[in-house]
Amino acid sequence: RRFSAVHPSNMINLKNLTIQKAHDALVRGDFTARELAQAYLDVIAQKNGDINAYLEVYGDVLAQADAAQKLVKKGGSVLAGIPIALKDNILIEGRRVGSASKILEGYVAPYDATAIAKLKEAGVVFLGRANMDEFAMGGSTENSAYGVTKNPLDPSRVAGGSSGGSIAAVAGDMALAALGSDTGGSVRQPASFCGVV
């Protein structure tokens, strides 16, 4: 008999996936961290051109996932192998960060933010930099120097802001989770606009 070759990343139901469900599936071996990361990369490739949630998708996502898989096998953190997006104002040593501003074009972070250091230790897979209102000054993610982030539920509407890229990535199944920053509603407001927690 002949079987059609279906890539496992195509069989992962991202719509109803939570961090706990993904962790349990990784531990059971339903899919690997690489397959999970690839599933998100596939959706990013399909949707990001229209939604503009990501300013940059990292080139080493699958290598990160392979490293995380080793932590999963060792019984690591519930976050091991979980693909997340990062608002473009959170520093990862050696990676570009720019707060969605051309003023900081090409700036490379000299150190890890504390949250990043802890997530690295947990084995998280960083997918890339998410769009935002420039310098987090705005409530719609229309004020990015790199274009508007649209609401994945209805692209005629805004995603909210200033963490609109992070939230749109989660709402659009382009990340399982995301980090943003919130001083006056910058995570809470786009979460409400895009229907995520």
Side-chain angles (χ1 to χ4, degrees), residues 2 22 55 58 79 91 97 113 115 118 126 128 131 154 161 163 172 190:
R2 295 178 72 89
L55 299 177
Y58 297 137
L79 293 174
L91 277 62
V97 60
K118 291 181 178 189
F126 301 107
N131 202 8
D154 180 353
S163 301

Side-chain angles (χ1 to χ4, degrees), residues 14-88:
L14 302 180
K15 277 277 175 239
N16 299 312
L17 202 58
T18 64
I19 290 172
Q20 187 64 57
K21 286 179 184 176
H23 169 73
D24 293 344
L26 287 166
V27 169
R28 282 194 308 268
D30 295 349
F31 47 77
T32 65
R34 174 180 270 262
E35 290 163 348
L36 181 60
Q38 186 63 60
Y40 284 104
L41 290 173
D42 291 346
V43 178
I44 292 166
Q46 176 190 358
K47 291 185 176 180
N48 195 57
D50 294 327
I51 302 301
N52 197 30
Y54 285 94
L55 299 177
E56 177 187 5
V57 177
Y58 297 137
D60 66 343
V61 170
L62 296 179
Q64 290 181 61
D66 290 341
Q69 185 65 34
K70 293 174 185 170
L71 291 176
V72 170
K73 285 185 177 177
K74 289 180 185 173
S77 158
V78 71
L79 293 174
I82 301 300
I84 72 167
L86 297 171
K87 189 174 182 178
D88 189 35

